[in-house]
């Protein structure tokens, strides 16, 4: 190496920032500047974007569970309660993502299907149908015990959620009246439907922040205030309800009837103390619900009331002044021709008092009374007693019945109106009419809710007329009357039988309604009861034979439950003398 070359190497000095280092430093500074600029842009110029993205992933609105209100009878006995249950659901995306269908889980899927009473292949097919979905119900309203078992299976993607189920302690006894809810706890029948809004309440909504695993990490405030559900206290006395159902079921089975209804009313308040129907159903077992069993026949089914309307013909005649309470009505020879048709009695009763017309259920006697007054007077009495109008109970499916409106009525049609044909009513309306007699002529609106202060009723009959007619009806259950089987030992009953034929196309068929309605005790009326039995079979299909015993057993038991004292022998003699004066 030459001397000049060595000298040149010695003269070279290292530079502080070679070009490559400068380029690297430039890009590093540029990167940091970009990061600072981006951070400044995000935090100062447009901070909402990331907040929005974060909120989309973490903010949720949750609603609190609101238990459906309780339904109780007037004494606090539960008729409908909500019990906690579980809903089992699958997250198909989670199941596939976490290997839920691996071979080692096969027995667990089989165990899950068995405990839910499902076919394992169908259950798995439902989950596999849409692998991207996040929610599929497997079974709802399973017991907490089943829920705990499912937790122990530890199947990926299978979870539980809380819900409630309605339970009805009274079962079939009050099934049609109380009604039922659907699987989403919404009332679909009976009281549950009528007062659904009152019983349901409204859940409150709250905004929360959740972590990735679904846990609440921050509560941000209430979005919407909820409303608590309300309990409902019915006017029903479950003791009387159970008694009425037992007696009605016994009668319909004994007489092989299609069905029947019983309504018990408090004479002075209009409260429904019992309302039962047969056939019934178990609302706690809904696998095979049948619509004809779920119908509240006491308010939905109408019928021609037959002879049970005769007391109100007498009341209309007394009220209009066309007859006096001690007047005799000639009925010989036991039949009469009206407009080319015949109205007849079982035998020739001759001259009859008003009381005897009712005791013997004389068609000729009431026909003469009906023809002696304008038809508007008779129909006006029927209307004023509640026929052809809603009772005020607000029960689901209530039928108002039917009174035909005509400009002209033939004499025969007027006669048939007097013994309960040519119009229709319900069991509830019939009970209400008799309760009006028991209250001294005051019509009370019917209530299915327990009342703190009963509303004032409307006077539709004079007190004297109502009392006279009620005393005339005492003989119906005494010796010589048409309903000896409705007699109650220790209490005097005012009541009336009815046996009406069912209308068919072109006339009337061979099927009957067996009826009895009455009030007790006569000295101080407390209860009115109407009993209707649909299509009893056999030779004994009359109201006195079929419905009368049901009335007697229900009325007797109910009066004892309410601690209504029997009348003494002296009071019975006094009442008999009053009844004699009425006759």
């Amino acid at each position: 190496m030459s001397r000049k070359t060595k000298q040149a190497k010695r003269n070279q000095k290292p530079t502080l920032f070679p070009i490559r280092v400068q380029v690297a430093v430039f890009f590093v500074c540029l990167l940091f500047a970009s990061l600072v600029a981006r951070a400044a842009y995000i935090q100062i110029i447009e901070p909402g974007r990331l907040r929005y993205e974060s909120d989309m992933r973490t903010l949720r609105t949750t609603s609190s569970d609101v238990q459906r209100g309780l339904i109780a009878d007037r004494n606090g006995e539960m008729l409908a309660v909500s019990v906690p249950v579980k809903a089992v659901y699958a997250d198909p995306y989670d199941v596939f993502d976490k290997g839920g269908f691996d071979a080692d889980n096969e027995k667990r899927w089989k165990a899950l299907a068995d405990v839910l009473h499902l076919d394992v292949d169908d259950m798995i097919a439902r989950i596999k149908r849409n692998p991207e979905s996040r929610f599929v119900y497997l079974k709802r309203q399973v017991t907490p015990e089943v829920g705990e078992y499912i937790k122990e299976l530890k199947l990926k993607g299978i979870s539980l959620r809380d819900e409630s189920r309605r339970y009805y302690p009274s079962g079939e006894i009050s099934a049609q009246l109380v009604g039922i809810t659907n699987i989403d706890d919404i009332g679909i029948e009976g009281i549950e439907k009528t007062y659904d809004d009152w019983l349901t309440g409204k859940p409150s909504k709250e905004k929360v922040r959740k972590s990735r695993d679904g846990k609440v990490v921050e509560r941000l405030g209430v979005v919407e205030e909820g409303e608590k559900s309300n309990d409902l206290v019915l006017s029903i006395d479950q003791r009387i309800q159970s008694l009425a159902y037992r007696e009605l079921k016994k009668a319909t089975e004994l007489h092989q009837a299609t069905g029947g209804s019983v309504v018990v009313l408090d004479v002075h308040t209009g409260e429904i103390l019992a309302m039962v129907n047969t056939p019934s159903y178990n609302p706690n077992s809904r696998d095979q619900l049948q619509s004809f069993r779920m119908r509240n026949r006491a308010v939905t089914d109408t019928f021609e009331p037959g002879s049970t309307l005769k007391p109100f013909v007498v009341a209309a005649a007394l009220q209009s002044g066309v007859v006096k309470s001690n007047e005799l009505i000639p009925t010989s020879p036991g039949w009469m021709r009206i407009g080319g048709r015949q109205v007849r009695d079982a035998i020739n009763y001759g001259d009859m008092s008003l009381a005897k017309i009712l005791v013997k259920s004389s068609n000729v006697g009431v026909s003469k009374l009906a023809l002696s007054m304008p038809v508007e007077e008779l129909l006006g009495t029927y209307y004023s007693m509640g026929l052809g109008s809603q009772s005020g109970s607000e029960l689901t499916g209530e039928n108002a019945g039917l009174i035909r409106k005509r400009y002209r009525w033939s004499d025969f049609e007027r006669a048939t109106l007097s013994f309960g044909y040519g119009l229709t009513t319900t069991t509830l309306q019939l009970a209400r009419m008799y309760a009006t007699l028991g209250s001294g002529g005051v019509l009370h609106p019917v209530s299915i809710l327990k009342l703190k202060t009963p509303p004032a009723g409307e006077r539709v009959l004079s007190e004297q007329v109502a009392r006279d007619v009620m005393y005339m009806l005492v003989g119906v259950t005494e010796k010589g009357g048409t309903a000896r089987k409705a007699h109650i030992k220790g209490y005097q009953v005012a009541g009336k039988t009815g046996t009406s034929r069912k209308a068919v196309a072109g006339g009337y068929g061979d099927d009957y309604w067996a009826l009895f309605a009455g009030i007790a005790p006569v000295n101080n009326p407390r209860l009115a009861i109407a009993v209707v039995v649909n299509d009893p079979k056999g030779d004994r299909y009359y109201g006195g034979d079929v419905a009368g015993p049901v009335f007697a057993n229900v009325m007797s038991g109910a009066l004892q439950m309410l601690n209504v004292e029997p009348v003494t022998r002296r009071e019975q003699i006094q009442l008999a003398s009053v009844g004699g004066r009425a006759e």
Side-chain angles (χ1 to χ4, degrees):
M1 182 178 297
S2 67
R3 185 177 177 183
K4 287 183 178 181
T5 303
K6 291 180 179 179
Q7 186 66 35
K9 285 182 178 180
R10 281 197 299 267
N11 291 334
Q12 286 180 349
K13 295 181 180 179
T15 59
L16 185 61
F17 292 106
I19 187 66
R20 285 177 295 181
V21 174
Q22 291 177 0
V23 171
V25 170
F26 173 77
F27 278 107
V28 169
C29 291
L30 183 62
L31 176 62
F32 276 103
S34 300
L35 291 175
V36 170
R38 179 61 178 165
Y41 178 80
I42 291 173
Q43 295 183 39
I44 299 173
I45 299 174
E46 196 182 60
R49 176 70 181 177
L50 283 184
R51 289 197 192 110
Y52 173 77
E53 294 291 340
S54 173
D55 290 346
M56 288 291 291
R57 290 166 173 77
T58 61
L59 283 187
R60 297 291 183 266
T61 299
T62 62
S63 58
S64 59
D65 293 328
V66 179
Q67 287 281 5
R68 192 174 178 85
L70 305 173
I71 300 178
D73 82 335
R74 66 186 305 110
N75 300 314
E77 185 170 342
M78 290 298 114
L79 302 179
V81 297
S82 291
V83 295
V85 289
K86 300 288 185 181
V88 185
Y89 68 94
D91 182 338
Y93 181 86
D94 233 17
V95 174
F96 281 96
D97 186 54
K98 296 178 179 178
F101 288 126
D102 292 347
D104 58 342
N105 287 326
E106 186 175 341
K107 290 183 179 180
R108 296 181 183 181
W109 286 110
K110 183 67 170 62
L112 177 64
D114 288 343
V115 77
L116 296 180
H117 304 291
L118 299 175
D119 181 80
V120 63
D121 294 329
D122 290 343
M123 182 183 71
I124 292 175
R126 285 167 57 195
I127 299 173
K128 289 182 175 180
R129 191 171 297 142
N130 188 358
E132 297 299 318
S133 68
R134 303 305 305 257
F135 189 92
V136 174
Y137 271 126
L138 298 183
K139 191 71 174 284
R140 299 187 64 182
Q141 297 190 345
V142 303
T143 63
E145 291 76 18
V146 171
E148 288 300 320
Y149 177 80
I150 292 172
K151 279 184 181 179
E152 294 299 321
L153 292 177
K154 297 181 179 178
L155 275 166
K156 304 297 184 183
I158 302 300
S159 303
L160 304 170
R161 64 185 299 180
D162 294 330
E163 58 181 13
S164 64
R165 179 181 182 180
R166 211 62 165 158
Y167 174 68
Y168 302 95
S170 61
E172 63 182 28
I173 294 172
S174 304
Q176 296 99 341
L177 176 63
V178 176
I180 58 172
T181 60
N182 62 13
I183 199 166
D184 293 313
D185 225 16
I186 298 172
I188 57 174
E189 290 289 342
I191 296 292
E192 293 277 29
K193 180 178 181 180
T194 304
Y195 294 95
D196 185 62
D197 291 340
W198 176 265
L199 292 164
T200 301
K202 187 179 179 182
S204 61
K205 295 181 179 179
E206 184 182 19
K207 184 167 284 188
V208 298
R209 193 177 299 280
K210 289 188 174 182
S211 61
R212 186 179 180 183
D213 57 2
K215 294 181 179 179
V216 175
V217 295
E218 185 181 5
R219 297 187 182 275
L220 302 174
V222 176
V223 176
E224 185 178 338
E225 289 288 349
E227 296 177 4
K228 290 184 178 180
S229 59
N230 301 283
D231 296 338
L232 202 61
V233 180
L234 302 187
S235 59
I236 296 299
D237 188 323
Q238 189 59 22
R239 301 170 301 169
I240 302 176
Q241 180 88 352
S242 300
L243 170 65
Y245 180 74
R246 184 180 70 237
E247 294 299 328
L248 180 63
K249 186 176 182 181
K250 187 193 307 181
T252 51
E253 290 177 351
L254 177 64
H255 297 281
Q256 300 178 357
T258 303
S261 301
V262 174
V263 173
V264 182
L265 290 182
D266 187 307
V267 164
H268 300 295
T269 66
E271 292 173 298
I272 301 172
L273 299 183
M275 178 179 283
V276 297
N277 304 276
T278 57
S280 188
Y281 68 100
N282 183 0
N284 298 311
S285 177
R286 309 185 186 188
D287 295 335
Q288 296 179 334
L289 291 181
Q290 297 170 299
S291 58
F292 77 95
R293 292 179 178 272
M294 300 169 69
R295 192 169 72 245
N296 187 355
R297 298 167 182 263
V299 296
T300 61
D301 289 14
T302 60
F303 51 88
E304 292 179 301
S307 296
T308 56
L309 277 196
K310 289 176 180 176
F312 305 99
V313 180
V314 174
L318 290 170
Q319 187 81 4
S320 63
V322 301
V323 69
K324 295 181 179 179
S325 60
N326 58 356
E327 193 170 331
L328 295 178
I329 307 297
T331 65
S332 295
W335 59 272
M336 60 187 294
R337 189 171 295 279
I338 306 174
R341 300 190 185 183
Q342 211 177 72
V343 174
R344 62 170 56 247
D345 291 334
I347 61 173
N348 180 9
Y349 292 114
D351 293 344
M352 303 180 76
S353 66
L354 298 181
K356 190 173 181 180
I357 287 174
L358 296 178
V359 169
K360 296 299 184 182
S361 198
S362 170
N363 290 336
V364 175
V366 293
S367 295
K368 287 196 170 185
L369 291 174
L371 293 173
S372 68
M373 71 181 100
V375 67
E376 292 79 15
E377 192 76 38
L378 179 60
L379 292 178
T381 299
Y382 288 168
Y383 279 121
S384 68
M385 303 293 285
L387 282 185
S389 62
Q390 298 286 344
S391 67
S393 68
E394 297 184 357
L395 289 170
T396 300
E398 181 177 358
N399 197 319
L402 177 65
I403 300 179
R404 291 180 295 172
K405 295 182 179 180
R406 293 190 173 187
Y407 292 106
R408 297 184 61 185
W409 293 82
S410 70
D411 287 348
F412 184 73
E413 287 172 333
R414 291 168 63 188
T416 57
L417 283 175
S418 71
F419 45 85
Y421 286 90
L423 51 84
T424 61
T425 185
T426 65
T427 310
L428 177 58
Q429 286 181 337
L430 188 60
R432 189 186 186 198
M433 294 179 75
Y434 276 80
T436 303
L437 284 181
S439 67
V442 177
L443 180 71
H444 292 282
V446 172
S447 176
I448 192 59
L449 303 180
K450 184 179 180 180
L451 301 175
K452 293 182 179 178
T453 305
E458 177 188 1
R459 179 161 293 283
V460 294
L461 287 177
S462 74
E463 186 173 359
Q464 187 60 51
V465 168
R467 189 169 296 278
D468 285 348
V469 173
M470 185 172 61
Y471 281 121
M472 291 175 190
L473 291 171
V474 171
V476 173
T477 62
E478 305 292 338
K479 187 176 181 180
T482 56
R484 289 281 291 129
K485 293 181 180 179
H487 177 77
I488 302 175
K489 186 176 180 181
Y491 301 98
Q492 280 202 301
V493 174
K496 186 70 187 72
T497 59
T499 308
S500 66
R501 297 174 69 179
K502 283 189 174 185
V504 295
Y508 288 89
D510 296 326
D511 296 330
Y512 294 86
W513 294 93
L515 319 166
F516 190 90
I519 314 138
V522 171
N523 63 313
N524 184 19
R526 180 68 188 275
L527 301 177
I529 298 179
V531 180
V532 177
V533 179
N534 181 7
D535 191 21
K537 305 296 190 298
D539 296 332
R540 294 183 176 273
Y541 54 83
Y542 295 104
D545 292 321
V546 178
V550 178
F551 172 90
N553 292 335
V554 175
M555 180 65 86
S556 176
L559 291 176
Q560 292 176 37
M561 290 174 185
L562 297 175
N563 296 319
V564 178
E565 293 184 1
V567 295
T568 63
R569 179 61 180 166
R570 182 177 180 181
E571 288 174 320
Q572 289 181 6
I573 295 172
Q574 290 174 343
L575 289 170
S577 67
V578 173
R581 288 198 297 272
E583 185 173 341

